[in-house]
Amino acid sequence: MTPTTAQRHTRIVATLGPATDPPEVLEAILRAGVDVVRLNFSHGDPSAQVARGEAVRAMAEKVGREVGILADLPGPKIRIETFAEGKVQLHAGQRFDLVASVDAPPGDASQVAVSYLGLTGDVAADDVLLLDDGLVQLQVDAVEGERIITRVLNDGMLSNRKGLNKQGGGLSLGAITERDRELIAVAAGMDVDFIAISFCRTAEDMHEARRIARGHGSKAALVAKIERAEAIDNLAEIIDASDVVMVARGDLGVEVGDAELPGLQKKIIREAVARNKVVITATQMLQSMVDSPMPTRAEVLDVANAVIDGTDAVMLSQESAAGHWPVRAVETMARICTTAERQFIADTDFEKAERELERADQAIAMATMFLCEHIGIRAVVAMTESGGTARYLSRFRSSVPIYAFSHHAGARRRMALMRDVFPMDYDSRGQSPREAARGGIQLLVAAGWLVPGDRVVFTSGEHMQTRGATNTLRLLEVGPDGEATGLGEL
């Protein structure tokens, strides 16, 4: 991590793909500011994603960055099957059948097979089905055996393997497929830092995914992708069951309608932060940069508004994976985030903050951020084993950087997704809290991030190598010689 990177508090997730496979491009996007890479297991052979993960680990070490890896599972994405000619032109008013049968022939202008054979039990007359992110809309007239008879509502071209959603939600397909189970094992073998669960509907979906991941020895944080209408109804319990929440705006927008999406995005971000969880905002943030070297003004505003709303991270999908300008897209995202952060007003209402805290490290985090708001703190230095203290600190949303020191590489990579947190490699084993404070301050002074006269809050536990044991807060000042002074406890 460099001082330039440290000026940006919002994190950037970038999807890898053919556009980022050349080593020089991968190096360039990491240097441009990518904090977490996304491996989309919906596309290609898993071995290609394994190779990309290995390349990221090597390149992150080369450039000196803490870069997390997120494995995004395909989940139960419902798709149409293929057409004999690859695509068909549909016209408003015509009949078009969806066939839920493994024996269905290749599609044509009158019918096409669907991947989910249980679809006939989930739809009824007058339901509206949305294909290809809503570009083609079908109204169900009747369900007859394996056939769903629909009427096309708008002219449109339909090609192979496009996604299918039901307007308003209500599809009963479970979140964890057999393919997902296989891919969780692959992700565990790669030692990824995050595993994203697609189309989750309930907390139990997340619990099941966690059981499978832990069964394979994975310590990855679990990401709940909010992209079903049902997930909104169960939002609080899903957030509580997850480590990270993703506002997956593509399928969510199709199911709930575009007009509902902005308000839901704000709600999800607000709820995630309030429940001490990390949140990513994703999908088509700089979509025009797939082909254009410049974003639209609307896209700039979209990214900036997510930052001002308080998201931890913003994500690039096709822009980085398959676009013509992957490096420029990352640079653009970083520039927008940095500028938008200047408009973000951190105004924590401590009167409304949670009063009955369950953990000592939560109380230390609250006290720390109270000091940051009221007595001019330059930085927070947190000694942490698992990253939990850093997460609690970052939920208060401040302009004060949080330097999180840990000797655990996995913890540092997971902290790379947290807004305001800058993970650093520091081995405090065998040191007292006072020695660790002095060592950490000296490291930040040497890096140019602290100067004499700066006030710093230092947090640690009396037992330094114990998870969740942060129970001490110290107010320090950098002396003329760069040494920490004022080592009394508050």
Side-chain angles (χ1 to χ4, degrees):
M1 185 174 296
T2 66
T4 300
T5 303
Q7 295 172 359
R8 173 174 50 81
H9 289 229
T10 308
R11 300 295 163 233
I12 295 175
V13 181
T15 305
L16 301 190
T20 59
D21 282 343
E24 65 275 13
V25 177
L26 179 61
E27 179 176 356
I29 67 168
L30 296 191
R31 292 190 183 279
V34 170
D35 301 289
V36 174
V37 300
R38 170 178 173 253
L39 304 178
N40 186 358
F41 278 87
S42 294
H43 300 295
D45 188 273
S47 61
Q49 305 297 4
V50 172
R52 287 178 177 134
E54 292 172 348
V56 168
R57 291 279 191 253
M59 192 62 73
E61 183 173 357
K62 176 182 177 180
V63 303
R65 299 283 316 284
E66 301 289 354
V67 180
I69 295 178
L70 185 155
D72 197 340
L73 305 180
K77 179 76 171 182
I78 300 175
R79 299 181 184 275
I80 60 171
E81 298 293 357
T82 59
F83 294 95
E85 302 296 329
K87 59 184 178 180
V88 298
Q89 176 67 48
L90 300 180
H91 299 282
Q94 79 171 79
R95 172 176 168 169
F96 186 72
D97 291 0
L98 302 176
V99 185
S101 171
V102 293
D103 299 323
D108 56 29
S110 68
Q111 65 178 15
V112 71
V114 292
S115 61
Y116 174 40
L117 303 186
L119 185 61
T120 53
D122 285 349
V123 301
D126 296 329
D127 283 343
V128 174
L129 303 179
L130 308 167
L131 283 68
D132 194 9
D133 287 338
L135 295 180
V136 175
Q137 301 180 18
L138 310 175
Q139 181 168 312
V140 177
D141 286 337
V143 178
E144 298 180 356
E146 297 177 333
R147 287 184 174 271
I148 301 170
I149 301 170
T150 78
R151 177 167 42 88
V152 179
L153 298 180
N154 64 291
D155 291 357
M157 187 72 70
L158 192 58
S159 56
N160 295 339
R161 301 287 297 164
K162 293 302 182 183
L164 182 154
N165 297 82
K166 179 183 174 184
Q167 192 173 72
L171 298 177
S172 61
L173 200 59
I176 310 295
T177 67
E178 287 304 314
R179 181 59 172 160
D180 288 338
R181 292 174 181 272
E182 297 170 0
L183 292 173
I184 288 174
V186 173
M190 297 171 61
D191 192 25
V192 302
D193 306 293
F194 307 92
I195 297 176
I197 309 305
S198 298
F199 302 101
C200 64
R201 298 176 301 165
T202 66
E204 180 52 36
D205 291 333
M206 301 308 300
H207 293 318
E208 181 183 2
R210 193 178 300 275
R211 287 192 294 269
I212 298 168
R214 298 299 180 258
H216 287 289
S218 173
K219 298 179 180 178
L222 273 292
V223 183
K225 294 174 65 177
I226 308 300
E227 50 193 337
R228 277 184 166 175
E230 294 91 337
I232 299 300
D233 297 331
N234 302 315
L235 184 60
E237 66 177 50
I238 291 174
I239 293 174
D240 287 342
S242 309
D243 303 298
V244 182
V245 177
M246 182 187 293
V247 189
R249 305 184 305 179
D251 283 285
L252 181 61
V254 171
E255 289 210 358
V256 303
D258 291 339
E260 296 289 337
L261 198 55
L264 287 177
Q265 173 176 307
K266 293 176 183 293
K267 176 181 179 178
I268 295 166
I269 293 173
R270 183 173 62 248
E271 287 289 319
V273 174
R275 293 177 176 273
N276 295 314
K277 300 302 171 71
V278 178
V279 57
I280 306 167
T281 304
T283 316
Q284 295 184 336
M285 301 213 78
L286 296 177
Q287 183 67 19
S288 69
M289 292 194 74
V290 172
D291 300 306
S292 170
M294 296 290 291
T296 67
R297 297 294 183 266
E299 289 167 341
V300 172
L301 288 170
D302 181 32
V303 174
N305 279 324
V307 172
I308 294 169
D309 286 343
T311 192
D312 285 271
V314 287
M315 193 174 94
L316 296 167
S317 299
Q318 191 179 2
E319 304 96 323
S320 56
H324 291 101
W325 308 92
V327 179
R328 186 169 292 189
V330 174
E331 293 171 341
T332 300
M333 187 76 91
R335 185 175 66 253
I336 297 168
C337 289
T338 302
T339 303
E341 285 164 1
R342 294 202 293 266
Q343 310 300 322
F344 180 81
I345 301 174
D347 185 21
T348 302
D349 188 347
F350 288 95
E351 291 298 318
K352 295 181 180 179
E354 191 174 353
R355 297 304 179 99
E356 297 183 7
L357 303 176
E358 297 178 357
R359 299 166 54 113
D361 48 2
Q362 289 178 281
I364 292 295
M366 182 179 293
T368 298
M369 302 318 292
F370 185 88
L371 290 175
C372 288
E373 280 205 5
H374 290 87
I375 64 171
I377 299 299
R378 174 64 185 85
V380 175
V381 177
M383 293 290 166
T384 180
E385 281 288 296
S386 64
T389 299
R391 176 164 57 88
Y392 288 130
L393 288 165
S394 73
R395 297 310 89 191
F396 286 94
R397 293 292 186 261
S398 170
S399 60
V400 177
I402 301 162
Y403 297 103
F405 290 79
S406 177
H407 68 275
H408 294 291
R412 295 196 304 271
R413 293 194 299 265
R414 288 189 292 273
M415 288 188 287
L417 193 57
M418 300 175 188
R419 181 164 171 161
D420 302 332
V421 175
F422 302 95
M424 301 186 71
D425 186 6
Y426 186 87
D427 192 349
S428 62
R429 287 175 292 185
Q431 294 184 339
S432 69
R434 283 173 174 262
E435 291 170 331
R438 290 193 178 98
I441 297 298
Q442 288 172 346
L443 185 61
L444 294 173
V445 170
W449 295 338
L450 291 177
V451 298
D454 283 342
R455 287 180 172 181
V456 178
V457 174
F458 176 84
T459 69
S460 68
E462 286 305 306
H463 302 286
M464 295 280 285
Q465 275 70 57
T466 303
R467 291 169 61 99
T470 297
N471 61 1
T472 304
L473 180 155
R474 293 175 169 86
L475 180 60
L476 312 177
E477 185 172 311
V478 181
D481 57 358
E483 294 285 335
T485 62
L487 288 175
E489 294 181 12
L490 291 179

